[in-house]
Amino acid sequence: FCHRGLKKLLEYDKKKNRNYSETLRIYLENNMSVSKTIKVLYLQRQTFLYQLKRIQEISNLNLKDYNTRLYLLLSFQMLDSEKKKPSL
């Protein structure tokens, strides 16, 4: 059920040892506020804007679309739920 663009981003993170998916999550959780996001991530504005550009290039996400953002946030919630499930 995870968004296809997010899957691509997670694969890229794993392959290249990046953390773009977490950057995207924090950006979305802060209602796409650049200033709030860079404060949380302790990044310079230009560094964050570069990362955001790379995120969009890798994932082909349209972050201007409300439904896409909602789907991504739900995908992050489902991924969190999967991580919290106890092993049987």
Side-chain angles (χ1 to χ4, degrees):
F1 295 106
C2 190
H3 191 285
R4 184 173 16 143
L6 181 55
K7 283 183 183 179
K8 288 171 69 175
L9 193 59
L10 289 165
E11 289 169 8
Y12 182 88
D13 282 352
K14 190 172 185 178
K15 182 178 179 183
K16 301 287 185 175
N17 198 25
R18 297 284 181 191
N19 208 15
Y20 288 153
S21 56
E22 188 62 22
T23 298
L24 176 60
R25 175 201 297 259
I26 293 169
Y27 181 56
L28 293 172
E29 288 174 349
N30 283 287
N31 296 314
M32 297 177 57
S33 168
V34 173
S35 61
K36 288 180 184 178
T37 303
I38 62 175
K39 285 179 185 177
V40 171
L41 294 172
Y42 302 106
L43 290 175
Q44 291 184 348
R45 182 179 179 84
Q46 287 302 82
T47 301
F48 171 73
L49 293 176
Y50 171 77
Q51 288 183 4
L52 187 58
K53 180 183 172 197
R54 288 294 297 139
I55 288 167
Q56 290 178 313
E57 290 171 353
I58 295 162
S59 63
N60 295 316
L61 292 169
N62 177 8
L63 297 177
K64 293 179 183 176
D65 179 59
Y66 172 80
N67 289 324
T68 299
R69 294 192 311 269
L70 179 61
Y71 192 177
L72 288 167
L73 286 167
L74 291 171
S75 295
F76 281 121
Q77 290 295 319
M78 289 188 298
L79 289 171
D80 286 347
S81 294
E82 286 295 315
K83 288 179 187 175
K84 293 178 184 177
K85 282 186 178 178
S87 302
L88 298 176

